[in-house]
Amino acid sequence: MRIWKFEHNVDTDQIIPAEYLTTGDAKKLAAHAFAKARPEFSKEVKEGDVIVAGENFGCGSSREHAPRALLGAGISCVIARSFARIFFRNSINIGLHLIEADVFDKIEEGDEIEINFEAGVIKNFTKEEEYKFKPLPEFMQKLLDSGGLINYIIKQK
Amino acid sequence: MMPTIAEKILREKAGKGEKVEAGEILECEVDYIMVNDITGVPAFEVLDELELDEELKKELVVVIQDHYVPNKDVDSAEQAKALRDYARKYGIKNYFEVGKGICHQVMIEEGFAAPGRLIIGADSHTCSYGALGAFSTGIGSTEAAAAMATGRLWFKVPTTQKFVIDGELKQYVMGKDIILHIIGDIGVSGSLYKSQEFYGTAIEKLSLSDRITISNMAVEAGAKAGIIPPDEKVFEFLNGRVRGEYKPVYADGPESEYEEVFEYNASEIVPTVAKPFSPDNTAPASELDVPIDQAYLGSCTNGRIEDLRVAAAILMGKKISPDVRMIVVPASKRVLEQALEEGLIKIFLAADAFVCGPTCGACLGGHMGVLASGECCISTTNRNFIGRMGHKDSEVYLANPAVVAASALKGRIIDPRELEI
Ligand code: SF4
């Protein structure tokens, strides 16, 4: 898992600019992920890569297109100091893993890491370090395990 | 026991008699679910996947075409058509076609928003209805679909911050300046996951329109909701307009139950501008001297009749700077009609502004006023992120309608009070 590092307050306009919001398709959206902020992202991102950012990741517009674009790009998890709440909800509800952890100063662009969600441990192979994080509340973990809110509802029916 | 408005509404909607704690996750009944032309289609696609045995809760659903309409290109036309088709397929009666207005203005004007209600919308500025004492908040398309299917959604009970603004506002200082001042103070993550409540003599004196501006921008500080206790102004506005019954909800706990209390003196707040590229990057308008290419008056933040009046009073009998194009977009058909009646549209046209029917348009860099590289816009909207209104190398400064109108006349950002000197 390779790291893509971002700053604080990454807004959803950066993740997926408004002019590409004419589709909800994750793969199509992924082709324009970070089109203005980091044009190389959509070309170089690989299945399983991880985003690390500072505070308030995903602020701004409520567009679910943002986490969909990241999911479509193959991002397996976003680790941030904090998330904007609508982005947080959207991600959990569509099955994109998020970790709230203060590793902004520890993990660098290009680092290779591995995440154990159950144990709440991030292993950084590049730095040979380990960081702990607090797993999500039980209800949200249940949503993620079901593959998102819709599958959860279907299972409950 | 149950101090904040947010907690009380969520408790009530969860059918819980006892105290709820901040951080608790509740499943609540929602009053309305709003989607627009961007967020609606993905929601209905999810609903299709769900293959409901029962009908969806269609009387709760409100569908509004406002973002890329009238359609800016073939893709957006397909999207709007898909939404129209879905609304027909699922029998949605609360459907608002192109030209009715910007979703939040329509939700308020058409009597969906009311005190004590729990309203969700697949648009981040759904928090606007807090100005009427509702708990309203932005959600995503998937959860909008889930709520349409079940009438319910999960919520984490937020902690609440109290903002008290006392005193008299100076001339040309509006609700916009109050909220920009607060966001400048607490930052764009200052209210993350939290609910805001607004009190004080300055808030009580504000028009409902200015209160809506404040609640609208609550999300710009990361807040889940921005609630103002409803008063006579709200009840009067709803009279003859509101759909169904409503029950106002007020906070009744001691001050200490709030997570934080912030106090501001209204007389110290000046016409304020948020510089690129963040709504918390604020400065007094008088300290800026930035040349502008475009002045934008509109959006769910400041596109109401009260906003148009303020701008028209400044523009009356004058021409905007030849270096500036001014774009005026009333937030709804009703606002446009009223502006026509009051002669405001004439004033804008005589000043050489461009006026068009209601749409989100340029507010999100969609169409009808997109910026080229290197261009600068003073705007009454709510966001000034990189590329928000167009090219990634364009800039947006956020301000109230008076500052935007005055700046359009001068060709540079100024404090409207300077016009009189
Ligand atoms: S006017 Fe702007 S902020 Fe308001 S709903 Fe439309 S795009 Fe969003």
Side-chain angles (χ1 to χ4, degrees), chain A residues 18 36 64 89-90 93 100, chain B residues 68 140-143 154 193 390:
Chain A
K36 293 183 190 180
E64 189 173 305
R89 292 184 65 98
N90 281 338
N93 285 330
E100 218 171 42
Chain B
Y68 287 154
S141 298
T142 297
E143 38 185 355
W154 64 275
Y193 311 132

Side-chain angles (χ1 to χ4, degrees), chain B residues 117-340:
Chain B
R117 287 189 180 162
L118 173 56
I119 303 176
I120 53 178
D123 188 282
S124 56
H125 294 103
T126 302
C127 52
S128 303
Y129 330 143
L132 291 91
F135 184 99
S136 61
T137 195
I139 56 155
S141 298
T142 297
E143 38 185 355
M148 287 182 198
T150 62
R152 293 190 303 276
L153 192 61
W154 64 275
F155 295 89
K156 196 164 147 205
V157 180
T159 56
T160 300
Q161 296 168 314
K162 182 175 187 175
F163 296 86
V164 185
I165 303 101
D166 278 322
E168 292 274 344
L169 285 178
K170 294 225 174 73
Q171 197 195 3
Y172 296 130
V173 179
M174 302 178 66
K176 184 66 157 281
D177 304 292
I178 295 179
I179 190 65
L180 284 177
H181 187 81
I182 290 174
I183 297 168
D185 184 32
I186 65 174
V188 287
S189 51
S191 299
L192 213 53
Y193 311 132
K194 295 170 188 162
S195 174
Q196 303 173 332
E197 276 177 29
F198 299 92
Y199 293 88
T201 52
I203 299 292
E204 286 159 22
K205 266 183 234 148
L206 278 187
S207 67
L208 178 57
S209 174
D210 270 33
R211 294 183 196 174
I212 295 169
T213 309
I214 292 178
S215 295
N216 176 274
M217 290 194 72
V219 67
E220 257 52 74
K224 183 167 191 162
I227 305 177
I228 299 174
D231 62 5
E232 274 309 318
K233 280 181 200 166
V234 174
F235 307 143
E236 210 172 283
F237 175 82
L238 289 173
N239 198 359
R241 172 192 311 264
V242 69
R243 295 169 191 239
E245 307 282 307
Y246 66 88
K247 199 171 104 218
V249 169
Y250 298 98
D252 50 17
E255 196 98 311
S256 59
E257 295 274 345
Y258 288 91
E259 190 185 59
E260 282 167 293
V261 180
F262 298 86
E263 284 170 10
Y264 300 93
N265 183 345
S267 65
E268 285 168 13
I269 298 176
V270 296
T272 301
V273 173
K275 301 179 284 179
F277 291 101
S278 181
D280 63 3
N281 191 16
T282 54
S286 59
E287 284 176 15
L288 296 175
D289 187 22
V290 178
I292 52 164
D293 303 288
Q294 180 168 302
Y296 189 84
L297 172 62
S299 84
C300 55
T301 318
N302 279 124
R304 278 172 289 281
I305 192 69
E306 291 83 350
D307 301 310
L308 269 50
R309 282 181 197 140
V310 167
I314 290 173
L315 295 172
M316 184 144 72
K318 301 199 180 85
K319 294 255 182 235
I320 57 172
S321 157
D323 298 327
V324 176
R325 54 214 192 248
M326 180 165 186
I327 299 175
V328 181
V329 188
S332 72
K333 183 180 151 193
R334 289 195 195 204
V335 174
L336 175 56
E337 281 170 340
Q338 178 84 22
L340 271 171

